[in-house]
Amino acid sequence: MKSGRNKEALEIFGELMKYQKPADELLYNIANTYSENQNYEKALDYLRRIQKLDLEKFISLTKLFINIKRYDSAGFYLNRARNLYQERKNDVPAVTRSIILKYSGDLQSVAGKYSEALKDYQSAIISLDASFADTAITANPESFSGLQNFFFLFETLIAKASLLSNQNSPGKKSDNLSLSIQTYGSALSLARHIEKTYFSDDARLFLKTKVNPATRDAVNAAVRLYGISKDPKYINIAFGFVENNKSTVLQTGLKNLELSSLPGLPLNLISEEKKYKTTLARLSIQASLLKDSQSQVALQTEIRNTEIKLSAVQDKLDEYPLYHRLKYYNSSIDLDSLKNMLKGNDEAILSYYYTTTSLICFYITKEATGFSSTPLDSTLFSTIFSLRKELQSPRASGRKNLMMAGSALFKQLIAPVFGIIRNRKRLVIIPFNEISFVPFEMLVDTTDRSLLIRKFAISYNYTAGFLTDKNAGGFADYNVLAMAPFSGEENPDLILPTLPMSIGEISGLPGKKLSGSEAVKDKFMLLSGQYPVIHLATHAIANDSNLLGSYIEFYGLKKDSDTSHRLYEQEIYTLDLKSARLVILSACETGNGLLVNGEGVISLSRAFSYAGCKSVITSLWKADELSTSFICKRLHHYLQEGFAIDRALQQSKIDYLETNEIEERYKNPAYFAHLVLIGDYRPVVKPGYSREIIWIAISAIALIAVFAIIRRNRV
């Protein structure tokens, strides 16, 4: 129930209801679960059956009637709750007063009594946070530690912020909006604190459902105040709200991976944490594959016990001051720091977000920062949906349809800022939600009908927070772990058909090359942390409705168990790939997956990022084997020459478009735009002299020699 899995909770509660005389606590939990599902009729039925938990019952009835806008009934039950609290306040939890104050504020607000509502909210905040005691409406908590009931504190701060944002008092509109933004900031800081206290990614993802609407409203308030004041600091604030809410579960996972390497931590605790995480991944996969209900129950019990053990280990780690301090440290993200980070004039960063009415694009270049805001056109989503459907089958994709979609998306996503970025050579795209499915390389400049891939080297990232670490890592020898499990001859006993071109992708590469029956899952698990570059040329399945339905295939026969040859997404999360500079997943649709609002696409490629890999080249759809092989071979060539990864991928695709080896009909975006770079674009190996520089040097030497000969002859 508390993790938002309401359907499963109601099934368990239903089993308990079969016993005689169900306890009030059970009725209360069922009612609140139905209320969370917005099934208020059922919730009301169970609340009315409660016999003794009258204070809890009256408070829940107050909340229910506020939700369905029956404010008279809500006021009636709130008064009953308030009177009971006064009688029993020495015997009930202190949080009860806070809850009553919060709902009192809600009712004062709908009655138009804004000052009284704000006082109630402020009193509730003080009651909920023992370290905060400022009664001034202009004050909000700034830091959080050891909080209980933090969900209710979050809801109270949001209620206060929303009320301030929607007030239109003459002469105070700017002041109210400014205070609203501060209050939203406090609530969102609390949300980040809560997220870090959870050990489960499922719990963190559930928290996102609560935080996303608050982020949207906070951004709206900041943009509105910028419109009134024209003060650029509010654009910076809006940008911070947006980026701090993108991929926070991924950010937390990477932070935890980093924390495990801190000096001074007990190795036994680090080892236990790793063991329990690996065990949880294995048990979850087993549970998803089982059909026997008794075995399912036993596995779920084992999963819960393992979660408890993992939580206990993480609590012990949290006792170490440096670990605790770094775990809860919040680094700020702002436009100016990113602008100062840019090394040259060839790069532009574009970060996208949308509210219910506006499509926002923040831009950062060496010279300027700012944003564009255009009305959110519903055709954006229909175009993206149609494009995804079209690209699922490259051979059936029509060039005309793809060019039309590319032009339409260019107008909405790039045109509003094109004047600012048109002279750049490199774009870093930070998408949001559905925009994550758009390969910007195939967008079409409507002024000259050219593809964006010819103008920019393009990479993507999950959040601007990942762009600030420009000094991380370094150069490595070009040493590759390359695996092509299905490169051999056709074999009816193989689990999947062969990929004849896959051996060509990895042939000639320095490092360890495993093909056919040598390219097994166990060897990958053993070797993956030892190489700076990993290339997997294989089959993969991406399931956008089931997180456990996504996996990468290694060599296996039909008689083998699935877990022996499938590398499941949850298993990738438990790998330690901090030493990997680049993973190339030329398997099908490894960048596709489940879209989670605010978090992005939960995909196989994201799992490699979560495991610590700095850069991932991944496929957004099932692409043609010939085109993938051509691009990958050219990619390795340019990477070994010291090209930046984004530039190497760009040039490989341009080579594909210009070569005579490929028929013209295969040169539409369905065949080349599927491979995209996510993460750090810097070179893997130390750049040498590029061919262009060498030719310039040779030409210069030749010219000098010619002039010297002419001059000598004249003499």
Side-chain angles (χ1 to χ4, degrees):
M1 182 184 72
K2 289 185 176 180
S3 65
R5 292 155 62 185
N6 294 330
K7 183 181 176 183
E8 294 170 68
L10 288 170
E11 287 173 359
I12 297 168
F13 290 147
E15 289 296 312
L16 293 171
M17 284 295 292
K18 293 175 182 177
Y19 293 93
Q20 289 183 345
K21 296 182 181 179
D24 278 356
E25 288 82 1
L26 177 58
L27 298 171
Y28 176 76
N29 282 336
I30 294 173
N32 284 330
T33 307
Y34 274 121
S35 192
E36 281 295 314
N37 271 1
Q38 298 182 357
N39 189 338
Y40 298 118
E41 188 176 342
K42 280 275 193 183
L44 194 56
D45 175 49
Y46 279 93
L47 284 173
R48 284 175 170 159
R49 291 160 65 180
I50 291 174
Q51 299 295 314
K52 295 178 181 177
L53 292 177
D54 42 8
L55 184 55
E56 291 85 348
K57 173 180 176 177
F58 296 152
I59 288 173
S60 289
L61 284 167
T62 302
K63 179 181 179 181
L64 187 152
F65 284 120
I66 288 173
N67 285 335
I68 62 176
K69 300 182 179 179
R70 287 174 55 183
Y71 300 121
D72 288 344
S73 297
F76 171 78
Y77 284 108
L78 182 64
N79 281 331
R80 295 192 70 178
R82 188 183 283 120
N83 292 335
L84 266 178
Y85 173 75
Q86 288 302 323
E87 291 174 19
R88 306 176 185 173
K89 61 182 177 183
N90 294 327
D91 302 315
V92 297
V95 70
T96 306
R97 176 174 179 270
S98 310
I99 295 171
I100 290 170
L101 283 166
K102 195 271 181 181
Y103 291 145
S104 174
D106 292 343
L107 290 174
Q108 299 278 26
S109 176
V110 296
K113 299 177 180 178
Y114 301 130
S115 296
E116 292 87 341
L118 288 170
K119 287 177 184 176
D120 281 342
Y121 289 146
Q122 195 71 10
S123 297
I125 292 166
I126 291 168
S127 294
L128 288 161
D129 187 347
S131 64
F132 179 73
D134 197 329
T135 58
I137 302 302
T138 53
N140 293 295
E142 294 181 357
S143 61
F144 307 93
S145 62
L147 285 169
Q148 301 297 319
N149 307 302
F150 34 53
F151 264 129
F152 207 78
L153 176 56
F154 177 79
E155 289 181 359
T156 307
L157 285 164
I158 293 301
K160 175 186 172 184
S162 178
L163 178 57
L164 288 162
S165 177
N166 294 320
Q167 277 195 61
N168 291 309
S169 308
K172 289 190 175 181
K173 191 172 182 180
S174 293
D175 292 341
N176 287 336
L177 272 175
S178 178
L179 181 51
S180 168
I181 291 165
Q182 292 174 36
T183 311
Y184 275 124
S186 176
L188 295 174
S189 292
L190 170 61
R192 290 197 296 277
H193 176 82
I194 299 170
E195 199 164 48
K196 290 170 183 176
T197 66
Y198 289 165
F199 73 87
S200 161
D201 282 350
D202 286 342
R204 294 182 186 122
L205 287 170
F206 171 61
L207 178 62
K208 297 285 284 191
T209 65
K210 306 285 186 183
V211 175
N212 289 327
T215 303
R216 179 197 62 216
D217 294 341
V219 172
N220 264 331
V223 171
R224 281 168 56 204
L225 189 50
Y226 171 76
I228 295 169
S229 67
K230 301 303 177 187
D231 188 336
K233 80 175 182 181
Y234 294 112
I235 296 306
N236 225 338
I237 290 171
F239 179 74
F241 286 152
V242 167
E243 293 304 320
N244 280 320
N245 188 47
K246 284 183 181 177
S247 297
T248 54
V249 175
L250 176 58
Q251 291 184 60
T252 303
L254 288 172
K255 173 62 76 175
N256 289 340
L257 185 64
E258 178 188 332
L259 290 173
S260 67
S261 302
L262 284 176
L265 291 180
L267 293 178
N268 65 311
L269 288 181
I270 297 298
S271 177
E272 281 186 41
E273 182 186 39
K274 174 77 173 174
K275 179 184 74 176
Y276 291 136
K277 285 183 176 181
T278 305
T279 302
L280 276 176
R282 176 177 54 79
L283 293 173
S284 298
I285 291 163
Q286 287 178 3
S288 72
L289 298 173
L290 274 178
K291 294 183 172 60
D292 173 50
S293 58
Q294 274 192 314
S295 300
Q296 277 276 11
V297 170
L299 265 179
Q300 290 301 331
T301 301
E302 193 175 352
I303 287 171
R304 281 194 294 274
N305 290 338
T306 307
E307 286 176 341
I308 291 167
K309 291 174 183 176
L310 174 60
S311 181
V313 168
Q314 293 183 329
D315 284 345
K316 289 178 183 176
L317 285 169
D318 215 15
E319 293 172 4
Y320 288 82
L322 180 59
Y323 181 97
H324 181 89
R325 188 164 63 250
L326 291 176
K327 177 179 177 179
Y328 290 100
Y329 173 74
N330 283 325
S331 58
S332 59
I333 302 171
D334 64 81
L335 293 165
D336 290 337
S337 65
L338 288 170
K339 175 185 171 183
N340 294 333
M341 177 201 75
L342 297 180
K343 301 297 184 187
N345 297 322
D346 66 339
E347 182 176 352
I349 301 168
L350 300 181
S351 171
Y352 291 90
Y353 188 73
Y354 49 77
T355 65
T356 51
T357 58
S358 301
L359 172 63
I360 297 171
C361 176
F362 298 96
Y363 60 81
I364 304 132
T365 68
K366 191 67 176 172
E367 293 82 19
T369 62
F371 82 114
S372 72
S373 179
T374 55
L376 183 61
D377 188 338
S378 61
T379 62
L380 173 66
F381 306 113
S382 60
T383 302
I384 293 172
F385 176 78
S386 299
L387 178 62
R388 285 191 72 199
K389 193 173 180 181
E390 183 92 11
L391 292 171
Q392 293 306 314
S393 180
R395 292 187 183 277
S397 297
R399 186 191 294 264
K400 183 179 178 182
N401 289 343
L402 293 178
M403 295 296 280
M404 286 174 60
S407 297
L409 291 170
F410 178 90
K411 288 176 185 175
Q412 291 182 281
L413 298 174
I414 296 293
V417 295
F418 192 55
I420 295 159
I421 66 167
R422 68 187 316 148
N423 294 323
R424 311 293 154 178
K425 296 179 181 177
R426 166 174 284 131
L427 282 185
V428 178
I429 305 293
I430 306 168
F432 178 69
N433 284 5
E434 287 84 355
I435 298 171
S436 304
F437 293 121
V438 177
F440 278 66
E441 290 89 338
M442 65 160 289
L443 301 193
V444 179
D445 182 349
T446 50
T447 60
D448 61 11
R449 307 299 298 163
S450 64
L451 293 164
L452 226 56
I453 186 64
R454 292 189 178 275
K455 298 177 184 290
F456 304 104
I458 299 173
S459 63
Y460 304 80
N461 223 310
Y462 299 101
T463 170
F466 292 162
L467 302 178
T468 56
D469 194 14
K470 284 291 183 183
N471 296 317
F475 300 118
D477 293 331
Y478 203 76
N479 207 14
V480 185
L481 172 62
M483 303 184 78
F486 300 96
S487 57
E489 296 180 0
E490 285 289 349
N491 180 350
D493 295 326
L494 266 180
I495 47 168
L496 289 168
T498 59
L499 298 168
M501 304 295 296
S502 61
I503 192 67
E505 291 182 32
I506 68 171
S507 61
L509 294 176
K512 193 168 190 66
K513 297 180 287 294
L514 299 171
S515 60
S517 59
E518 288 189 317
V520 293
K521 175 182 173 180
D522 286 347
K523 284 189 179 178
F524 174 78
M525 299 291 278
L526 179 67
L527 299 170
S528 58
Q530 302 175 25
Y531 290 83
V533 180
I534 297 170
H535 186 145
L536 300 179
T538 182
H539 292 284
I541 297 295
N543 190 318
D544 60 7
S545 61
N546 175 13
L547 288 177
L548 290 172
S550 298
Y551 50 83
I552 293 172
E553 285 281 13
F554 289 86
Y555 183 86
L557 302 176
K558 290 175 182 176
K559 63 182 178 65
D560 299 331
S561 68
D562 288 343
T563 53
S564 68
H565 54 77
R566 289 178 180 174
L567 178 65
Y568 289 91
E569 187 173 318
Q570 285 205 339
E571 292 178 291
I572 301 170
Y573 278 78
T574 66
L575 297 174
D576 185 349
L577 297 177
K578 291 194 295 289
S579 61
R581 279 285 287 111
L582 173 64
V583 169
I584 301 168
L585 301 172
S586 63
C588 299
E589 56 184 0
T590 44
N592 201 359
L594 178 69
L595 178 64
V596 176
N597 186 15
E599 190 62 23
V601 180
I602 310 295
S603 62
L604 291 164
S605 55
R606 181 184 182 278
F608 280 96
S609 298
Y610 192 103
C613 182
K614 298 169 184 65
S615 314
V616 181
I617 290 177
T618 186
S619 181
L620 295 178
W621 61 85
K622 292 178 181 177
D624 176 74
E625 194 186 352
L626 176 63
S627 61
T628 302
S629 178
F630 182 96
I631 292 170
C632 285
K633 282 191 282 189
R634 300 302 299 159
L635 173 68
H636 282 292
H637 167 73
Y638 290 121
L639 289 174
Q640 290 179 86
E641 283 198 357
F643 277 47
I645 304 172
D646 59 347
R647 175 76 178 110
L649 186 58
Q650 178 196 27
Q651 190 57 54
S652 300
K653 291 179 177 180
I654 291 173
D655 288 354
Y656 176 84
L657 292 172
E658 295 181 350
T659 184
N660 294 324
E661 297 176 29
I662 304 293
E663 291 181 48
E664 201 62 31
R665 60 182 171 142
Y666 296 129
K667 292 184 179 180
N668 80 48
Y671 288 90
F672 73 80
H674 60 297
L675 291 172
V676 296
L677 167 64
I678 302 172
D680 187 357
Y681 59 72
R682 290 174 303 163
V684 177
V685 299
K686 190 171 184 178
Y689 293 109
S690 69
R691 288 179 299 172
E692 291 87 348
I693 293 175
I694 291 170
W695 278 112
I696 290 169
I698 291 171
S699 300
I701 292 168
L703 283 172
I704 292 169
V706 169
F707 282 124
I709 291 168
I710 292 171
R711 186 175 179 183
R712 187 179 61 191
N713 290 339
R714 283 180 178 174
V715 173

